[in-house]
Structure formats: structure tokens, C-alpha cells
Amino acid sequence: MQVLRVAGGARLDGSVEVVGAKNSVLKLMAATLLAPGATTIGNLPAISDVTIMRQLLEGMGCGARESRDGAVDRVTIDVPDRLDPEAPYELVRKIRGSICVLGPLIARTGGAKVALPGGDAIGTRPLDMHFAGLERMGVDIRVEHGYVIAEARDLRGAAIWLDFPSVGATENIMTAAVLAKGTTVIDNAAREPEIVDLCAMLVSMGAQIDGIGSSTLEITGVDGLAPTRHDAVADRIVAGTWAMAALATQGDITVRGANADHLRIALDKVVQAGGEVEALRDGFRVAMDGRPKSFDVVTLPYPGLATDLQPQAIAALSVSDGTSMITENLFEARFMFCDEISRMGADVRTDGHHAVVRGRQRLSGAPVRATDIRAGVGLVIAGLVADGVTEVAEIHHIDRGYVRFEEQLRGLGADVQRVESTTFGG
């Protein structure tokens, strides 16, 4: 088994580049199904989830080729006139984001057969809101033998209220609505930058969408869409990870290619902890002099603090001066990370949706396992502020969301190596 072996005691100092958001690129790739022809998506992160999504689209009959334009990776998806509307389990089980092909397939083919998805072990993420919204648009949906079976003989616009601003439900309803008859209104829609990014690409393909960036989206269906070229929005979660890493290691990191406006609350927390935040034209800089002060965290849908930054924040707070309260409002199993960081000496106590973190001067290196993408990088950050060596196993999770993560860490002065583990049976 490969692990990341992290030597403690590093102060991260230097500059890193952030590319397109995993949570946007996968949805953009799925949305190419809406228009026959070649659509190109730029600012592509070279991560394993993108590879799996490309394979999924190829299985539906698409051609896919990746290229490089200077320092920017791109993928061109050639979408045929006729699609195979089935997304098989062997690919869908690997990434939760694969469910986003449901809306485009319904819109293009009048039906879909999509395996129930897998992904990170961070709790239940039910599809009830996806199904309820699509059913209001005339889609018959059932689950059989582990597959979502959808049929739509007359896809039509509808007024839809989401009980929760679900990103996935907003995306699937919206991508079905762009080719439906009439107008669809989604109230309490998700407002994440990745939703705005998907809307921007759909509009460039010829879709009619009003209210972009607000909680009410009005989509007027059109007869057809055309291929386009679109660059994905920067990954705010990766950018926020580097901010928390600078905080934890008392470092000085300049993050290029990011949008500081997408991280206002997270960067405000950095300031509360005693850090200095400087907004730049193409990113931001976080500098920390001394041990961070404690702060409280409440995860919420955008524009609240993202749940995907919760483990990284806990890693920084584990070496803070004071006591912090963490409230997790989205995924009940995200605190699985706390069991692992506690093995490193972190004082973290959980109770339901809450965790209390009492900061310590330093942690101690230990063998730990990543349970999801963000837990993995949180444990690496913890290893950087621990005495001795930490081995982080199950690093395929990290590879799903971070481009050349250990290389970037080494560029900032960390001693991090990908090695075969003896501790974990490698």
C-alpha cells in the first residue's frame, strides 16, 4: 500500500497554483452530453475523478481527448447524435459526482439508467430531492437492482422548491430543464460558485437561465444546445486547504489562480486566528506569525463555510491556542476524521453534529488512514505540525481531488514522500 510519509516540523513558505474545481469540472463534463459535437473544457485538474468521468462518457458513446495549452490542461468531449443512456456501476461507484449525468441523459434521450453512486464515506447523501424535482417535470423514476431508472415521454417545465439548497439536485434539475418544454423555476437553489460556473457554460451553449448566483433560478427550455469552449472555475476548496495549511504551520503561502471572494468566511476565520490575508489580482496570500488562536466553525451551504474545509480547519485548530466548537450541518459522518487525528494526540471530542477541539502545542506522528478526500489532506496538515513521522494511508482519496499534492508541499518546504508502507501491509 502506498502512503504519504510526512515529516513533522515544516513551516510552509512559497507559492502554489490552483486549477479548476473538481466539484465543477465533473458537472461540466456531464453537461457536454446536452449538445452533439465537440465541447472543450479548460483549466482541467489532472485528478483521478476526471479520468473516471471521461471513461463514463466514453462508455455512453462519446469520444474524449485531453490536451495541453501552455500550462493548462483541457479535455474535448465529442458527443454523438445518439447516446447510450446507461451509466454502469463499475464506474459510477467510484465517484459520487457521476449522478450528475442523470439530468443531461433525461433531456437528450428521454430516459436514463444510472447506477446508484459511491464516493466518499462522509454520510448519507440521499437523492430524494433529485427525484422529486424531476418527477414534477414529468419524469417517471424508480430504483431497481441498484440502478436509477428514469423515463420522460414529455419533459416539461415546472415550479420546484428544494427543501435544502442541494448542489446535486440543483444541477440535475437544471440540466434537464434547459431542454424541457416551457419554464422551470427552482426555488431555494444552491448558490455555490460551481453552480454559477455550470450556468455560465450552459448559457454559452445557448441555454436561457435567469437568476444566476441567486437562490431562484428560472430556466426557459430551448429546442437544442450547441457545443462550446469553457474554462472551469478555480477550486476554492483546494485554495482554502492551502490557507488552513499556512495557518497550521505558521507559514506564508501565496495561492495563485484562486478567487478570494469565494472564500470570504474561511479567510475571515484565518484573520480571527491571527493570520494576515492579502487579496491579490490572481489569488491571495496567507501569512501566519505565531501559534493560531482558536475559532468556531459552522458548516453551511454557500456562502457559508464549506463542509469540505472542515477537516483542514480542525487540523489547524488542533494546534491552536484555545478551545473551538465545530458544528457540522451537512454530513453526519464527516467526524470520522476526528478518530484518526485523535491518534496523533489531537484533543477532539465529538457529540452528534458537534465537536470540541482543545488546541495543543504539537501533535505526535502516527499511522493514520484517510476516509475521504478532505480527511486525507487534513491528516497531512496534521502530520506537518506533529513530532516525528506520520504515515497517511488510503491516499487514493487525496488523488481524487488534489493535483500533485505532495510535489506542491515539497515546493513549499515540506518533507513529504509517497512510499510503500510497511506499517499498513505494503
Side-chain angles (χ1 to χ4, degrees), residues 172-356:
N172 264 327
I173 295 167
M174 181 168 61
T175 51
V178 291
L179 293 179
K181 297 175 183 177
T183 298
T184 299
V185 177
I186 308 173
D187 276 317
N188 201 28
R191 300 164 54 195
E192 274 75 1
E194 295 80 17
I195 292 286
V196 174
D197 196 32
L198 177 58
C199 287
M201 179 170 137
L202 292 172
V203 168
S204 74
M205 297 169 76
Q208 296 183 19
I209 306 174
D210 293 320
I212 296 173
S214 76
S215 59
T216 301
L217 294 173
E218 184 173 319
I219 304 117
T220 302
V222 296
D223 292 334
L225 298 178
T228 191
R229 297 176 66 90
H230 180 81
D231 287 345
V233 68
D235 198 318
R236 62 193 171 100
I237 305 302
V238 172
T241 298
W242 293 120
M244 293 300 167
L247 190 64
T249 65
Q250 302 178 35
D252 188 338
I253 301 178
T254 298
V255 183
R256 301 287 184 187
N259 188 332
D261 285 342
H262 293 166
L263 286 163
R264 287 185 179 179
I265 292 181
L267 295 178
D268 282 347
K269 295 297 182 183
V270 171
V271 173
Q272 287 181 36
E276 175 188 347
V277 175
E278 178 186 0
L280 306 172
R281 180 184 58 82
D282 63 341
F284 59 87
R285 172 176 170 251
V286 171
M288 188 70 196
D289 183 13
R291 189 178 173 195
K293 303 172 186 175
S294 59
F295 57 86
D296 293 338
V297 169
V298 179
T299 65
L300 290 167
Y302 190 84
L305 186 76
T307 181
D308 280 357
L309 286 175
Q310 183 243 91
Q312 301 92 308
I314 289 179
L317 291 170
S318 67
V319 291
S320 69
D321 181 10
T323 300
S324 305
M325 172 71 79
I326 315 297
T327 303
E328 173 56 54
N329 288 310
L330 282 85
F331 297 129
E332 69 277 8
R334 184 130 252 171
F335 284 148
M336 290 171 61
F337 162 80
C338 297
D339 293 336
E340 294 299 306
I341 197 172
S342 293
R343 289 173 45 79
M344 303 175 66
D347 188 349
V348 184
R349 313 291 174 87
T350 61
D351 183 9
H353 289 274
H354 302 282
V356 175

Side-chain angles (χ1 to χ4, degrees), residues 23 38 56 62 68 76 80 103 113 126-127 137 165 186 217 258 269 296 306 310 330 347 356 385 395-396 422:
N23 290 337
L56 184 63
C62 299
R68 193 165 182 84
T76 298
K113 182 181 180 181
L127 300 175
M137 298 173 66
I186 308 173
L217 294 173
K269 295 297 182 183
D296 293 338
Q310 183 243 91
L330 282 85
D347 188 349
V356 175
V385 293
I395 57 174
H396 63 277
T422 55

Side-chain angles (χ1 to χ4, degrees), residues 64-86:
R65 59 187 186 277
E66 294 185 21
S67 59
R68 193 165 182 84
D69 182 5
V72 179
D73 288 329
R74 301 184 183 279
V75 63
T76 298
I77 310 294
D78 291 302
V79 180
D81 291 329
R82 295 179 61 87
L83 289 167
D84 181 348
E86 180 172 347

